[in-house]
Amino acid sequence: MRRVVHAEWTKLRTAPDTAWLPLVAVVLTVGLGATVSAAATPDTSACAGGCDAARLSLSGVLLGQVAVVAFAVRAITGEYRTGLLGVTLAATPQRLVVYAAKTAVLTAVALATGVLAVAGSLVVGRILAPFAFRPGPPLGAVGYLGLIALLAFGLATVVRHPPPALVTVLALLYLPPLLARFVPDERWHARIERFAPMTAPPAVLAAEAGTALLVAAAVFARRDP
């Protein structure tokens, strides 16, 4: 297993399709958070009734997750596209071992990216908007990015092709909250927000990501590369 994990890590950090995306995720997250923090003052509407500057500084997570999703999607679909997956499975026929190694490496990189992005956002937010700076939800934001990466990885394994996989995941993230605004029934509005990945409670998002990974593992174990 250690050998397979090392091989997957080497591929992930050297592949031109994926190596630069974690950095983009950090830059987008910190950049948007800095913009929102710099624009906030005690008199703005965002700070009406008390401003949570820490939460404002983490606004960039909603943009940075696009790069995290792209990273997770390309981590698996890139190998399908280039045919490298066939070579990988020839060297390691135990498919579930390969998939577990891919999942472990992806999780580690996604969480490390989340830590850097969230920590950078909080530091910048503290500098740009020090007023009423209350402790934010850094661990929640890091965990959210990790779970979104796993959800995207699982769906991309099933879809297999890069553009459709990326569109599918992004639509799943951004469309439900948008549609919920046009739902007049409060019960259905609450249901959509409860199960939409971007607004779901952590346990629900974890269940969705876990389900996607289990289905993907079953598909990966049976389908030809």
Side-chain angles (χ1 to χ4, degrees):
M1 186 65 180
R2 182 183 300 176
R3 176 181 59 84
V4 181
V5 168
H6 183 267
E8 293 302 325
W9 162 242
T10 301
K11 286 190 292 185
L12 205 59
R13 68 181 175 82
T14 57
D17 281 354
T18 56
W20 55 280
L21 285 169
L23 177 60
V24 172
V26 173
V27 171
L28 290 177
T29 303
V30 177
L32 181 58
T35 302
V36 173
S37 297
T41 68
D43 299 325
T44 59
S45 59
C47 296
C51 186
D52 187 346
R55 185 172 295 279
L56 290 179
S57 68
L58 294 176
S59 301
V61 169
L62 298 182
L63 179 61
Q65 70 178 350
V66 175
V68 172
V69 167
F71 171 74
V73 167
R74 291 190 177 192
I76 184 67
T77 59
E79 288 199 59
Y80 278 119
R81 179 175 56 82
T82 61
L84 180 60
L85 187 59
V87 178
T88 298
L89 294 177
T92 309
Q94 298 89 350
R95 293 182 173 224
L96 290 181
V97 171
V98 171
Y99 195 73
K102 288 180 178 295
T103 303
V105 173
L106 176 80
T107 302
V109 175
L111 290 177
T113 300
V115 168
L116 292 176
V118 170
S121 297
L122 291 176
V123 170
V124 172
R126 181 74 184 221
I127 294 171
L128 296 178
F131 53 88
F133 195 95
R134 299 192 296 272
L139 292 180
V142 172
Y144 170 79
L145 289 174
L147 290 173
I148 288 297
L150 293 177
L151 177 65
F153 186 70
L155 292 175
T157 303
V158 176
V159 177
R160 196 170 179 169
H161 300 288
L166 185 59
V167 170
T168 299
V169 178
L170 292 180
L172 188 62
L173 288 178
Y174 290 102
L175 283 183
L178 181 63
L179 294 175
R181 297 183 180 182
F182 300 96
V183 176
D185 190 305
E186 293 185 1
R187 290 177 301 175
W188 278 103
H189 183 92
R191 288 171 184 170
I192 292 174
E193 288 196 336
R194 178 172 177 75
F195 293 103
M198 267 186 26
T199 55
V204 174
L205 179 56
E208 293 172 344
T211 301
L213 287 176
L214 288 175
V215 173
V219 171
F220 189 83
R222 295 175 178 274
R223 188 171 61 189
D224 292 334

